[in-house]
């Protein structure tokens, strides 16, 4: 049996370590992520099996048990048996807090007391791994990193389970579904819901700006009157325009030479934001592509992607010449004019800053120095997405080593009878680091700010002519995409009003961790609280309902600022400012206070989850169909009415609006169209079939609109169109096609049934099977798992395995 072993985080990592060091450090045994889970509350205290509004804090900590799934049991058995004889263990799991926990929790569970060495590598090529083993340190030096990981895990279990059970018991009466509350998840939902409510409640303000052409000796340019207090009356704008036309006066010109340093290298959140806006990638896709560049077979060309900070340690300055030389061989980066020697910036405003790495597990993402010489060989093997992401990482690294961008800022103002007109322009002097991004133009350099001004001199005369009034309108804040939502999670201090606390939280890392934020957003989607609309993330009506109830019960439940404060305490464990138990106690104190507030609210007749039905069946999670939105928009135009907030995101809101405002038929049924709809291909095909059978021609009048064609078909199809027992008379319950239950279609079915002598039930038959909650946009996945759609909604037919639906929260 081996006297020493190496434990890695996963099988691919074990292969890389074996390739780098062979068996020099003993057998290499991979884990499979976490091989241990925390015990459930009822396994610690049997009375906790019954859900109630209490704090689930055990004496001491929650113990661990072997995790299930995959090959975890087999891998754990191999490690357990090897520990019996091993005198030394090399922990070579990922270099972050979670990697420390994954490796050390195995040793803690089995009470291993031999020598433990910690191997930390930020890239997975052979040379980096060999170097990492050479400078391995005793694992005891990373005790605080392990303590921080344990504190976070224990605190989350206590907080999340305690508040979830309390909210379900107190607020969710009448709903069978669990009301999940998470220390990070719920504030993340709140960030999106608050923005959505801002947008829905936003009232646009119309205002006006005046733009005129200014003529000087050296040429002409645009000047704008855009006062801080907007012009909201057109007659005032007209007065300004009249005063402007033909005016001559002396320009006040200010010219300043300015410089701008390069952006820092990327951490994971900044990569996710940039790739989301530039490529339309989800946060999880960015991490997936980065992971492949980090440890993919035959790649390994970047450092560890789950970076928490955008600084690099000073020890990596010596790698600069080699990385620059490797990037400039044959690839698109060869044309980037990095100076010789490169510009090395240190300190908080630079890139190489050791103090900025305090409390962080790893540095910014950069090209891997030990594989950079093979880039020309690796490049053809990369996918287009991998090339895009590596390009982003490489250009950011090179830009950080280039001179400042220097430019001349010119600002000209002109007093036109008391109205200030202004023009600004920027002329580059030296592109510096901007040469690394030749196609990039910052937002502040677009529009009027981007104009190239002629030579201007202070005091010279300018004449204004051709003034124009521009109609403007204030806009609501933009919806989040995954990248900007992750940025909001990272900068949770922005949601705090207290100035002192805001400043303290600016140095924190926000809510969640870079490795878990994409997973948190994905979890909210799976639960039906958030959905993707194009590239945007919006809350469902269920999510808004949950947010509203939790906020009413206690605003602290949905406060990102409070969660950021708790994250500070957990992060302080890493740097020794806070003890592990003290951090857990602080989180428990907050949870206990919230439980008390919820109890008090219930005793005083406080809020319940009023939308229990939608929480239960997910009805509010669906957006309206495109046809419904078009119909609603046409009603708004025709009647000059204001649509209700949320009519474009909630099918229930849109349906209620249509029911109230759509024109009515004689029998009171709402018309299905507000604008003529063209004849569909199916209608025309059916009409031609009827005409052929009758020996007639479809009249041109019937071809004009869908309604006219439907009327012609109804009057000509005859009573014997369908035969008894034909499938089109009734669709079986197992049909996967959604069935319309509109009055018009039901009436046609009844006529068909009457013609065949089959009695049609007044209510649809209940679906035989297990009802399912399939969130909008998951149709293909649901069908692959065996789900079907019937008259009462989604269901699983008898015999279909329900476990996959349970894992996704669709039961």
């Amino acid at each position: 049996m081996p006297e020493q072993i190496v434990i890695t985080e996963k099988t691919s990592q074990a292969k890389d370590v074996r390739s780098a060091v062979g068996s020099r450090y003993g057998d290499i045994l991979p884990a499979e992520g976490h091989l241990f889970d925390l015990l459930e509350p009822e396994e610690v205290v049997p009375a906790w099996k019954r859900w109630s509004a209490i704090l689930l804090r055990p004496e001491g900590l929650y113990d661990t048990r072997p995790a299930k799934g995959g090959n975890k049991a087999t891998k754990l058995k191999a490690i357990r048996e090897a520990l019996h004889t091993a005198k030394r263990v090399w922990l070579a799991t990922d270099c972050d807090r979670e990697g420390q926990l994954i490796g050390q929790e195995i040793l803690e569970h089995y009470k291993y007391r031999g020598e433990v060495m910690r191997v930390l590598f930020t890239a997975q090529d052979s040379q980096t791994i060999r170097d990492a083993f050479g400078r391995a340190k005793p694992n005891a030096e990373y005790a605080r990193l392990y303590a921080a990981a344990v504190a976070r895990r224990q605190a989350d279990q206590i907080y999340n389970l305690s508040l979830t059970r309390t909210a379900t018991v107190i607020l969710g009466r009448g709903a069978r579904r669990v009301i999940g509350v998470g220390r990070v998840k719920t504030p993340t939902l709140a960030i999106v819901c608050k923005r959505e409510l801002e947008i829905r409640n936003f009232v646009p303000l119309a205002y006006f700006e005046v733009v005129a052409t200014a003529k000087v000796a050296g040429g002409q340019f645009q000047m704008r009157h855009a006062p801080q207090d907007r012009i909201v009356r057109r007659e005032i704008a007209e007065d300004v325009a009249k005063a402007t036309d033909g005016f001559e006066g002396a320009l006040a010109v200010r010219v300043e030479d300015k410089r701008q340093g390069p952006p820092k290298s990327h951490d994971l959140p900044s990569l996710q934001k940039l790739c989301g806006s530039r490529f339309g990638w989800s946060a999880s896709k960015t991490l997936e592509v980065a992971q492949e560049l980090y440890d993919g077979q035959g790649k390994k060309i970047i450092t560890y992607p789950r970076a928490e900070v955008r600084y690099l340690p000073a020890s990596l300055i010596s790698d600069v010449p080699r990385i620059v030389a490797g990037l400039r061989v044959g690839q698109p980066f060869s044309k980037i004019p990095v100076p010789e020697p490169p510009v090395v910036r240190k300190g908080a405003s630079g890139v190489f800053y050791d103090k900025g790495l305090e409390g962080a597990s790893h540095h910014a993402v950069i090209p891997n120095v030990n594989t950079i010489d093979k880039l020309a060989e690796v490049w053809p093997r990369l996918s287009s997405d991998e090339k895009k992401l590596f390009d982003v990482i490489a250009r950011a690294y090179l830009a950080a080593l280039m001179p400042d961008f220097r430019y001349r800022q010119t600002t000209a103002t002109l007093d036109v009878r008391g109205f200030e007109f202004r023009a600004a322009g920027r002329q580059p002097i030296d592109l510096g680091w901007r040469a690394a991004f030749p196609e990039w133009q910052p937002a502040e350099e677009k529009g009027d700010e981007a104009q190239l001004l002629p030579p201007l001199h202070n005091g010279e005369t300018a004449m204004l002519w051709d003034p124009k009034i521009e109609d403007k309108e204030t806009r609501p804040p933009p919806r989040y995409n995954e990248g900007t939502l992750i940025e909001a999670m990272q900068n949770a201090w922005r949601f705090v009003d207290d100035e002192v606390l805001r400043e303290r939280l600016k140095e924190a890392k926000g809510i969640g961790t870079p490795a878990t934020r994409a997973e948190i957003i994905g979890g909210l989607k799976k639960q039906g609280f958030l959905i993707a609309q194009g590239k945007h993330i919006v809350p469902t009506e269920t999510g808004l309902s949950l947010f509203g109830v939790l906020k009413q019960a206690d605003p602290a439940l949905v406060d990102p600022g409070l969660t950021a404060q708790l994250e500070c305490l957990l992060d302080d464990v890493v740097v020794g400012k806070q003890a592990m138990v003290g951090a857990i106690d602080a989180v428990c104190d907050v949870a206990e206070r919230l439980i008390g507030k919820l109890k008090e609210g219930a005793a005083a007749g406080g809020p319940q989850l009023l939308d229990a039905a939608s929480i239960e069946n997910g009805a509010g999670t669906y957006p309206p169909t495109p046809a419904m939105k078009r119909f609603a928009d046409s009603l708004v135009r025709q009647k000059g009415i204001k649509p209700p907030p949320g009519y474009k995101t909630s099918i229930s809101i849109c349906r209620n609006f249509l029911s109230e405002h759509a024109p009515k038929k004689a029998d009171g049924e709402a018309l299905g169209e507000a604008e003529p709809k063209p004849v569909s291909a199916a209608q025309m095909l059916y009409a031609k079939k009827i005409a052929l059978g009758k020996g007639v021609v479809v009249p041109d009048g019937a071809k004009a609109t869908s309604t006219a064609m439907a009327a012609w078909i109804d009057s000509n199809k005859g009573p014997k169109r369908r035969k008894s027992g034909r499938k089109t008379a009734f669709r079986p319950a197992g049909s996967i096609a959604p069935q319309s239950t509109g009055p018009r279609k039901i009436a046609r079915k009844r006529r068909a049934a009457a013609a065949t002598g089959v009695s049609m039930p007044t209510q649809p038959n209940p679906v035989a099977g297990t009802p399912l909650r399939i969130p909008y946009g998951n149709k293909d996945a649901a069908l692959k798992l065996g789900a079907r759609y019937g008259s009462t909604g989604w269901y699983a037919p008898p015999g279909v395995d329900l476990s996959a639906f349970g894992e996704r929260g669709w039961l």
Side-chain angles (χ1 to χ4, degrees), residues 109-334:
H109 186 86
Y110 292 121
K111 297 180 173 56
Y112 178 76
R113 293 297 176 261
E115 183 183 6
V116 182
M117 300 295 291
R118 183 66 168 113
V119 182
L120 294 176
F121 43 83
T122 56
Q124 281 194 204
D125 62 282
S126 294
Q127 186 59 51
T128 300
I129 292 172
R130 284 193 290 270
D131 292 345
F133 272 90
R135 42 171 206 272
K137 297 180 180 180
N139 189 57
E141 294 188 20
Y142 300 94
R144 291 198 305 227
L145 190 65
Y146 176 68
V150 171
R152 181 178 295 274
R153 196 182 195 194
Q154 294 279 336
D156 279 349
Q157 167 123 331
I158 296 167
Y159 184 100
N160 296 352
L161 294 185
S162 300
L163 269 300
T164 291
R165 291 188 177 195
T166 299
T168 301
V169 170
I170 292 178
L171 303 177
R173 299 170 191 168
R176 291 192 298 271
R177 181 176 167 188
V178 171
I179 301 173
V181 177
R183 187 180 61 83
V184 177
K185 180 183 72 175
T186 308
T188 301
L189 173 65
I191 291 172
V192 183
C193 288
K194 287 177 180 177
R195 176 60 58 86
E196 182 66 21
L197 292 174
E198 280 184 73
I199 294 170
R200 292 187 182 188
N201 296 326
F202 181 80
V203 178
L205 172 68
Y207 66 99
F208 308 93
E209 292 182 359
V210 181
V211 181
T213 301
K215 185 181 292 185
V216 294
Q220 60 186 36
F221 57 98
Q222 297 294 307
M223 298 195 79
R224 177 177 298 271
H225 177 57
Q228 188 172 3
D229 296 328
R230 294 188 176 101
I231 302 173
V232 295
R233 293 167 53 195
R234 190 173 190 88
E235 54 266 32
I236 295 178
E238 290 172 349
D239 290 341
V240 174
K242 288 177 184 177
T244 303
D245 198 11
F247 178 85
E248 291 188 22
L251 287 174
V253 179
R254 185 174 74 251
V255 180
E256 298 175 281
D257 286 352
K258 294 187 175 183
R259 59 197 312 133
Q260 182 184 46
K264 294 180 175 61
S265 295
H266 288 290
D267 58 6
L268 179 58
S270 68
L271 278 178
Q272 289 169 322
K273 180 186 177 184
L274 187 147
C275 293
S277 61
R278 185 178 297 180
F279 310 135
W281 292 0
S282 67
S284 56
K285 177 175 179 176
T286 302
L287 178 55
E288 179 184 327
V289 176
Q291 191 71 32
E292 184 65 21
L293 289 173
Y294 169 67
D295 62 9
Q297 187 65 36
K299 298 168 186 174
K300 302 177 177 60
I301 54 174
I302 65 169
T303 58
Y304 192 66
R306 291 175 170 84
E308 302 169 274
V309 293
R310 303 182 69 172
Y311 289 112
L312 297 173
S315 61
L316 296 187
I317 294 175
S318 59
D319 293 337
V320 167
R322 187 174 171 189
I323 295 178
V324 171
L327 288 173
R328 299 185 69 176
V329 176
Q331 301 309 321
F333 322 110
S334 60

Side-chain angles (χ1 to χ4, degrees), residues 460-505:
E460 76 171 297
T461 300
M463 185 188 80
L464 298 184
W465 60 285
D466 191 25
K468 293 183 175 63
I469 298 174
E470 292 184 350
D471 294 330
K472 300 281 186 176
E473 189 176 76
T474 55
R475 295 183 178 182
R479 287 188 169 91
Y480 292 107
N481 58 40
E482 285 203 24
T484 56
L485 178 54
I486 283 177
E487 183 189 36
M489 295 170 71
Q490 185 182 26
N491 296 299
W493 59 268
R494 293 174 180 168
F495 302 98
V496 177
D497 294 327
D498 184 281
E499 285 298 327
V500 176
L501 187 56
R502 278 170 67 95
E503 290 303 313
R504 190 158 66 86
L505 291 178

